Amino acid sequence: NQGNLSGAIGLFNEVLAQDALRWKTLNAIGVAYALNQQMSQALEYYKTALDIAPENVAVLNNLGLAYAFNLDFMNAEETLQRALGQPLTADK
C-alpha cells in the first residue's frame, strides 16, 4: 500500500516461513513482483499458489494477466478462460 514492495515481499516471506501452503500469501508476493515489473518471479509465485489452490479464480486471473504482460498471449488466454470457467473453443 505504501509502495515498499521489497519490504512487503520480506514480510510475506516471513509468513510463508510459518506456513508455506498459504495461497493468498503466495498470490500477494506474485502481485508485488508484478507491480515491480518482475513477471518471471510473479509467474512462479502464481503457479505455486495455483498448485495449492487449483482453479482459484483470483490466482488464475493474476496468472493470466502476468502471462499477458510477459507477451505470452496463448497462455494468457487459456488461463483467463479458466478463470471465467469457460473452455477454449476448438479453433483456438
Side-chain angles (χ1 to χ4, degrees):
N1 193 19
Q2 297 175 351
N4 182 0
L5 298 174
S6 61
I9 291 169
L11 290 173
F12 286 133
N13 278 317
E14 288 180 26
V15 173
L16 287 181
Q18 299 297 315
D19 182 359
L21 298 178
R22 296 178 61 95
W23 71 264
K24 287 182 181 181
T25 302
L26 291 161
N27 187 56
I29 294 172
V31 169
Y33 277 120
L35 289 171
N36 207 31
Q37 306 299 316
Q38 295 174 287
M39 289 307 149
S40 60
Q41 292 91 334
L43 287 166
E44 291 305 314
Y45 278 94
Y46 294 142
K47 290 176 187 177
T48 302
L50 204 58
D51 287 342
I52 295 166
E55 302 307 310
N56 181 286
V57 175
V59 178
L60 285 167
N61 181 70
N62 290 341
L63 178 61
L65 291 174
Y67 278 134
F69 289 133
N70 213 34
L71 306 179
D72 183 351
F73 300 118
M74 184 175 289
N75 279 321
E77 180 182 18
E78 178 183 327
T79 304
L80 291 170
Q81 290 290 347
R82 282 176 56 197
L84 290 171
Q86 299 174 0
L88 288 173
T89 60
D91 62 335
K92 292 193 177 183

